[in-house]
Amino acid sequence: MDWFESAAENLVEKLKVKNFVAGESFLREFLENETQVLDGVDEEEKDISINEWLELFEEYIRNHLVGKVDIGKNFRWMKAIDKTASSVTPSNQKTPTPPKISLLEDIPISELSPDNTEHLVELIDRSFLSGNYSDCITYGNDCLRKLNKELAPVDERLSILNTMVEAALKSERVDLYKLYVRKAELLASVYEHEDAGKYFEKAVDELIRDYNDNVEYIANIREKINELFRKCRIQFENGCDNSNASRVFIKECRFNRSNEKSRLKKAGREHECSNFVQRYQTRR
């Protein structure tokens, strides 16, 4: 591709100030801001094209950026570890043997430190791939706290959240809605209002499903649903997506009207039951 070389140069520059970049987010940002490749292309076609280019560009990195970029799992690209001695040894001294530096995937899991951000990312990936989804989410929360403290770029935090969401989906966790909310809030912070609205709506749908199933371990669930409905509408409105904002408002009204009818119906049954008891006691 014509843009591969300039994208590779941009990647090297980014890795001077970042621990790693998420490949999909990096390519999207580069192509939208630095090229005209995606001009006039709808969102669905953009996603398809970027997914097709990811593997090709990663192969380009592997062939042309040796010693500059290391390739991790799930299209994470990191600054290469310098495996050479950085200082000049005087001629009268014996050159020390440089320590062997292993790639993260070669390090036993027991030697990976949760105090190291890159090690945490590796622990997240290994936990996910081995099916330890609870550990994956625990490590993910630890990693996000560190990335927040380090003021890491949003795409790094979104990359971690994406893996956590997949883990929550596979393990059918009831707190999946919280991950959707965190992702929506991150997207909203960088003015990705339409995507933020979509993830707020995903969170709403999860909670409505739990509400309809009479899940009792989520406190104030109806209030949470209405709060997220409002946040969802605000994001669509901020993104000038009035069609989706109206659709969500109608969805919110239907939810509340349906629950009001259920409440009144239940109150009516209780009233009838109370009247029956009173009549029975009077007859006695």
Side-chain angles (χ1 to χ4, degrees), residues 205-264:
D205 291 340
E206 286 295 317
L207 282 179
I208 288 177
R209 191 176 300 115
D210 290 334
Y211 183 83
N212 291 336
D213 291 342
N214 295 313
V215 171
E216 297 179 354
Y217 39 80
I218 300 177
N220 303 316
I221 186 169
R222 187 174 174 185
E223 290 80 357
K224 283 186 172 72
I225 290 170
N226 280 303
E227 178 187 357
L228 291 174
F229 264 131
R230 285 190 291 273
K231 289 183 176 181
C232 180
R233 282 192 286 108
I234 287 169
Q235 289 307 313
F236 283 133
E237 287 167 3
N238 287 345
C240 299
D241 189 347
N242 294 326
S243 175
N244 269 324
S246 299
R247 178 183 59 77
V248 169
F249 178 68
I250 293 169
K251 188 174 177 180
E252 179 183 0
C253 291
R254 284 175 177 167
F255 168 76
N256 285 301
R257 186 165 61 244
S258 172
N259 283 284
E260 186 64 20
K261 286 180 180 178
S262 297
R263 189 184 68 79
L264 291 172

Side-chain angles (χ1 to χ4, degrees), residues 74-115:
N74 300 325
F75 300 104
R76 286 198 182 94
W77 304 324
M78 302 162 284
K79 183 178 179 181
I81 300 171
D82 185 3
K83 300 178 177 63
T84 61
S86 58
S87 58
V88 178
T89 305
S91 57
N92 62 344
Q93 291 185 19
K94 186 178 179 180
T95 304
T97 303
K100 181 181 178 182
I101 301 176
S102 301
L103 295 174
L104 288 180
E105 55 258 35
D106 297 329
I107 300 176
I109 195 166
S110 60
E111 295 179 19
L112 291 169
S113 170
D115 294 326

Side-chain angles (χ1 to χ4, degrees), residues 6-235:
S6 55
E9 292 173 357
N10 188 279
L11 175 61
V12 171
E13 288 300 310
K14 278 189 178 294
L15 289 175
K16 290 179 180 179
V17 295
K18 293 185 176 184
N19 294 318
F20 67 90
V21 300
E24 183 179 353
S25 299
F26 166 79
L27 276 190
R28 180 181 291 274
E29 181 183 344
F30 175 81
L31 292 172
E32 288 181 340
N33 297 334
E34 306 294 335
T35 74
Q36 298 179 335
V37 173
L38 298 178
D39 286 1
V41 179
D42 63 35
E43 288 301 317
E44 185 176 354
E45 285 296 323
K46 282 183 184 179
D47 291 339
I48 293 171
S49 299
I50 290 169
N51 285 330
E52 289 176 350
W53 290 328
L54 265 174
E55 290 189 16
L56 294 173
F57 185 64
E58 187 167 89
E59 188 62 28
Y60 182 90
I61 294 171
R62 192 175 281 112
N63 293 332
H64 294 82
L65 298 180
V66 177
K68 294 182 178 180
V69 178
D70 281 340
I71 295 173
K73 297 184 181 73
N74 300 325
F75 300 104
R76 286 198 182 94
W77 304 324
M78 302 162 284
K79 183 178 179 181
I81 300 171
D82 185 3
K83 300 178 177 63
T84 61
S86 58
S87 58
V88 178
T89 305
S91 57
N92 62 344
Q93 291 185 19
K94 186 178 179 180
T95 304
T97 303
K100 181 181 178 182
I101 301 176
S102 301
L103 295 174
L104 288 180
E105 55 258 35
D106 297 329
I107 300 176
I109 195 166
S110 60
E111 295 179 19
L112 291 169
S113 170
D115 294 326
N116 181 297
T117 305
E118 290 182 9
H119 284 200
L120 265 176
V121 174
E122 182 69 15
L123 285 167
I124 292 166
D125 286 339
R126 290 197 197 182
S127 299
F128 181 83
L129 292 172
S130 62
N132 295 324
Y133 302 123
S134 180
D135 286 349
C136 174
I137 291 173
T138 299
Y139 288 132
N141 284 322
D142 292 342
C143 190
L144 286 173
R145 279 193 289 270
K146 290 179 72 67
L147 291 174
N148 288 337
K149 282 185 179 179
E150 296 168 4
L151 300 178
V154 168
D155 63 344
E156 292 183 24
R157 287 177 272 174
L158 283 174
S159 177
I160 300 299
L161 268 173
N162 286 339
T163 305
M164 293 169 69
V165 165
E166 288 300 315
L169 282 166
K170 287 182 177 293
S171 56
E172 299 182 345
R173 286 177 63 118
V174 296
D175 59 353
L176 172 60
Y177 81 94
K178 293 182 180 179
L179 296 176
Y180 283 146
V181 170
R182 291 169 75 177
K183 191 166 181 180
E185 289 172 345
L186 260 183
L187 289 163
S189 72
V190 290
Y191 310 109
E192 296 288 347
H193 297 300
E194 187 174 356
D195 287 339
K198 289 176 183 177
Y199 279 97
F200 274 128
E201 187 171 6
K202 282 177 178 285
V204 167
D205 291 340
E206 286 295 317
L207 282 179
I208 288 177
R209 191 176 300 115
D210 290 334
Y211 183 83
N212 291 336
D213 291 342
N214 295 313
V215 171
E216 297 179 354
Y217 39 80
I218 300 177
N220 303 316
I221 186 169
R222 187 174 174 185
E223 290 80 357
K224 283 186 172 72
I225 290 170
N226 280 303
E227 178 187 357
L228 291 174
F229 264 131
R230 285 190 291 273
K231 289 183 176 181
C232 180
R233 282 192 286 108
I234 287 169
Q235 289 307 313

